[in-house]
Amino acid sequence: MQSPLPVRDGVNATRLRLPDEGPWETALDYMMHRWGHIDPQGIEDRFDAGEIVGEAGRVLDRSTPMQDHTFIWYYRSLPPETRIPVELSILHQDDHLLVVDKPHFLPTTPGGTYIQESALVRLRNQLGLPDLIPMHRLDRMTAGILLLSTNPETRGKYQVLFEKRQVQKEYECVSAAESAPGHPAVDFPVVVRNRMTKSRSYLLAEVVDGEPNAETRIERLHTFDAASSPASRPESTPSGGPHRAPDGGPQRRALYRLEPHSGKTHQLRVHMASLGLGIVNDAFYPELLDKAPDNYAKPLQLLARGIRFVDPISGSPVEYRSRLELSEAR
């Protein structure tokens, strides 16, 4: 449903569905019920300023009956945010697409405590493109290629490519060269297939019984000795053990290429962990670590390296490659 309010400061207006019935006589009553304990004066001020609208942009006031509208739109009051000390790089821009390198720690879209500090809002404000929309998402902790639509008239042509899985994605990650104890050795390349679902606990995804809905091809590119710098997370490996080989020497690590054939939440992180090869600096898999402030010296070693497809406008094959490098790769 199209918002009757334009994007403001890079952020879309919030849409709220009013209930069909209840003890509230007006839309104001209901909003006070929902958020009056947080900012009652702010809610009243929005009504008085004509900043709360219904279908077709009709302005609501304090006396508008609740049953007059099913959906209403308004702008949220945004708290100040501390700037995340990372920068986006623009790789390509034309009349239809924007391709950027998203850094680690920056979310793709607004959510939770990150509104202005998201790739989408930063780019909308930087480029003056209020209609900018991401064609896919990268986890906040994942860096690399992000594709966005700049043109609402052609957006659907690109969305169809993703819906029909006609877009090939390539990732890279750093992990141990050998599976953790308790996991069988892996003969690469390997294809991991299983059924994944979002866990009811926290933000985790988990593997469950059932027909596979997630698939990833994993290839080991090369192995190397782990660095001894502080950024190499010497206190633990992805599997929880020390960063030393059994003979006391430095742990062997490897750079892997990952090719997902589906797009489940945390799919690549879960599939690597299922092989006993949890990705370096992953605070979720295989073990959920205590929540801690972001450590910018230890980004998750997962990078969206490339994306390729047949462009629906030109009809030609295109490929975009990240210029970023994983800090732990050798």
Side-chain angles (χ1 to χ4, degrees), residues 90-100 127 129 132 135 147-152 154-155 158 309 311-316 318-320:
I90 296 175
L91 304 177
H92 171 83
Q93 184 176 357
D94 59 32
D95 292 337
H96 309 285
L97 290 178
L98 175 69
V99 184
V100 302
L127 302 175
L129 295 174
L132 197 65
M135 292 289 90
L147 192 71
L148 303 99
S149 163
T150 62
N151 189 340
T154 59
R155 182 169 299 151
Y158 292 94
F309 53 90
D311 190 280
I313 305 300
S314 68
S316 301
V318 294
E319 182 174 8
Y320 301 103

Side-chain angles (χ1 to χ4, degrees), residues 244-257:
R244 310 297 291 179
D247 61 2
Q251 185 203 39
R252 295 290 289 172
R253 285 187 177 167
L255 180 67
Y256 296 87
R257 176 186 293 127

Side-chain angles (χ1 to χ4, degrees), residues 89-198:
S89 296
I90 296 175
L91 304 177
H92 171 83
Q93 184 176 357
D94 59 32
D95 292 337
H96 309 285
L97 290 178
L98 175 69
V99 184
V100 302
D101 255 338
K102 185 191 81 66
H104 295 101
F105 302 103
L106 189 69
T108 297
T109 56
T113 59
Y114 303 100
I115 305 298
Q116 295 291 333
E117 285 304 288
S118 63
L120 178 60
V121 174
R122 276 197 191 185
L123 290 166
R124 281 176 170 177
N125 290 330
Q126 174 185 338
L127 302 175
L129 295 174
D131 290 326
L132 197 65
I133 291 293
M135 292 289 90
H136 60 112
R137 295 192 182 189
L138 295 179
D139 289 345
R140 187 172 79 89
M141 293 302 184
T142 303
I145 289 290
L146 179 64
L147 192 71
L148 303 99
S149 163
T150 62
N151 189 340
E153 295 182 2
T154 59
R155 182 169 299 151
K157 296 181 183 294
Y158 292 94
Q159 289 174 328
V160 167
L161 297 180
F162 286 91
E163 291 168 1
K164 294 186 175 181
R165 298 185 180 178
Q166 295 175 348
V167 176
Q168 288 75 51
K169 300 178 185 177
E170 175 189 340
Y171 290 74
E172 291 175 0
C173 75
V174 175
S175 181
E178 302 295 337
S179 297
H183 293 265
V186 181
D187 185 17
F188 293 101
V190 65
V191 175
V192 178
R193 296 187 186 91
N194 52 32
R195 185 166 189 84
M196 290 181 54
T197 185
K198 191 74 174 291

Side-chain angles (χ1 to χ4, degrees), residues 252-272:
R252 295 290 289 172
R253 285 187 177 167
L255 180 67
Y256 296 87
R257 176 186 293 127
L258 314 174
E259 296 176 342
H261 296 166
S262 52
K264 298 298 180 182
T265 300
H266 294 175
Q267 175 179 320
L268 302 180
R269 298 161 71 173
V270 170
H271 281 181
M272 287 298 292

